[in-house]
Amino acid sequence: MKKILLIVMMLVMCVSSACFASDGSVLDAEAKMVDQFLNASSYKNVSSILSDDMKANFDETKFNEYKASITKDLGAFKEKQLVNVIKRPGIDRLVYGAGFDGGKVMMVIADFAVNNEKPLLLNIAIVPPQPPKDQAQADQNK
C-alpha cells in the first residue's frame, strides 16, 4: 500500500512540475517581450511580438511618438521588477515596477494573448505607481 501511495505521489509531483514549468516558460517569454519593447529603437524590432489587434492600433508612427514621449518624460529604461501576475484563460497580465533615468519609478502593465503557450503583446502601459488602497484611504483621512 505504501509503495502505491508513493508511486501516486511521484506521478502527481511530475505532472504538477510539468505544469509549472509550462507557465514558467510562457512567463519568461513574456518578460523578454517586455524588455524587447521597452528597449526597442524601432518598430521593426517589436512588430513580431505584437498581436494583430495591437498592430492594427499601434503602427510605426504611434510607436515612434510613444518612444519619443517616454524618452522625453522619463529618460531611458533601466530595470524592472515583477510585482504581480494575473492569469486568465488566454490572457496574462504582468505588472512591473520599472526604473528609468534619474531614479524615476513607474509601473509597466503588459497584457498578453496566449495561444498554445505562445504569447503576443496585446497592450502595454507605463503609469505612475499607485499606493495600496488602504494607504490611499488613510492619506485621504488625514
Side-chain angles (χ1 to χ4, degrees), residues 81-101:
Q81 178 70 42
L82 185 64
V83 175
N84 195 1
V85 176
I86 301 168
K87 296 185 77 55
R88 293 190 177 106
I91 297 178
D92 291 351
R93 172 173 278 183
L94 278 61
V95 180
Y96 292 95
F100 292 84
D101 277 343

Side-chain angles (χ1 to χ4, degrees), residues 25-39 49 80 94 96 112:
S25 64
V26 172
L27 290 174
D28 288 344
E30 291 168 343
K32 288 178 185 174
M33 288 179 182
V34 171
D35 286 337
Q36 184 177 347
F37 187 89
L38 293 173
N39 290 314
I49 65 169
K80 69 180 180 10
L94 278 61
Y96 292 95
F112 295 90

Side-chain angles (χ1 to χ4, degrees), residues 15-113:
V15 169
S16 66
S17 67
C19 292
F20 287 121
S22 171
D23 281 345
S25 64
V26 172
L27 290 174
D28 288 344
E30 291 168 343
K32 288 178 185 174
M33 288 179 182
V34 171
D35 286 337
Q36 184 177 347
F37 187 89
L38 293 173
N39 290 314
S41 58
S42 73
Y43 185 76
K44 198 173 15 174
N45 296 350
V46 297
S47 61
S48 64
I49 65 169
L50 304 180
S51 67
D52 290 338
D53 289 341
M54 189 162 179
K55 283 180 188 176
N57 297 314
F58 195 72
D59 61 10
E60 187 169 4
T61 303
K62 288 184 180 176
F63 173 81
N64 291 335
E65 291 170 357
Y66 182 77
K67 288 298 284 188
S69 173
I70 296 299
T71 303
K72 178 184 170 212
D73 296 340
L74 301 173
F77 167 70
K78 294 291 184 189
E79 62 184 343
K80 69 180 180 10
Q81 178 70 42
L82 185 64
V83 175
N84 195 1
V85 176
I86 301 168
K87 296 185 77 55
R88 293 190 177 106
I91 297 178
D92 291 351
R93 172 173 278 183
L94 278 61
V95 180
Y96 292 95
F100 292 84
D101 277 343
K104 294 178 183 167
V105 176
M106 300 294 279
M107 300 300 293
V108 175
I109 302 169
D111 295 329
F112 295 90

Side-chain angles (χ1 to χ4, degrees), residues 107-126:
M107 300 300 293
V108 175
I109 302 169
D111 295 329
F112 295 90
V114 182
N115 188 6
N116 294 326
E117 297 190 19
K118 294 184 180 178
L120 289 173
L121 190 61
L122 278 174
N123 187 35
I124 190 163
I126 300 174

